Amino acid sequence: SYNNIGQVYDNMGDYSAAIEYYEKSLSIGEISLPLNHPDLATSYSNIGSVYNNMGEHTKALEFYEKANQIFEKVLPLNHPDLATSYNNIGGVYKIMGE
């Protein structure tokens, strides 16, 4: 539920509220899921996306890279979520001119 609420706030452009709810979702996941669970990676990615939307690209990369580390461990190399993860990181570097 917190993740869904965060997504609504993100879509509305209320990024501080989105991060608040995404972090609540992440906190629950960190307690209840194994540390390499793909749902945690999704939470990290969601938070990274908000930071990217806010123009805080260094913070976005931090969260995108956390997500990517999990995805690389648990997903096959040809999985679309892993491709999306690489794309997210590449997109931030592109915005940063790197």
Side-chain angles (χ1 to χ4, degrees), residues 9-89:
Y9 279 119
D10 190 12
N11 291 339
M12 292 172 48
D14 188 344
Y15 300 131
S16 61
I19 288 174
E20 177 185 340
Y21 281 94
Y22 282 147
E23 286 179 345
K24 286 180 181 185
S25 176
L26 177 61
S27 294
I28 292 169
E30 288 175 332
I31 293 168
S32 61
L33 298 171
L35 293 178
N36 62 349
H37 196 281
D39 287 352
L40 290 178
T42 299
S43 289
Y44 289 132
S45 184
N46 289 342
I47 294 169
S49 176
V50 175
Y51 280 119
N52 194 39
N53 290 338
M54 295 171 66
E56 294 187 35
H57 305 301
T58 302
K59 295 240 358 153
L61 276 176
E62 175 187 332
F63 283 93
Y64 281 153
E65 287 172 353
K66 285 181 181 183
N68 192 65
Q69 288 172 357
I70 295 171
F71 284 142
E72 284 182 333
K73 289 178 185 173
V74 300
L75 298 177
L77 293 176
N78 62 348
H79 196 282
D81 288 347
L82 186 56
T84 299
S85 182
Y86 290 134
N87 191 62
N88 289 341
I89 292 169

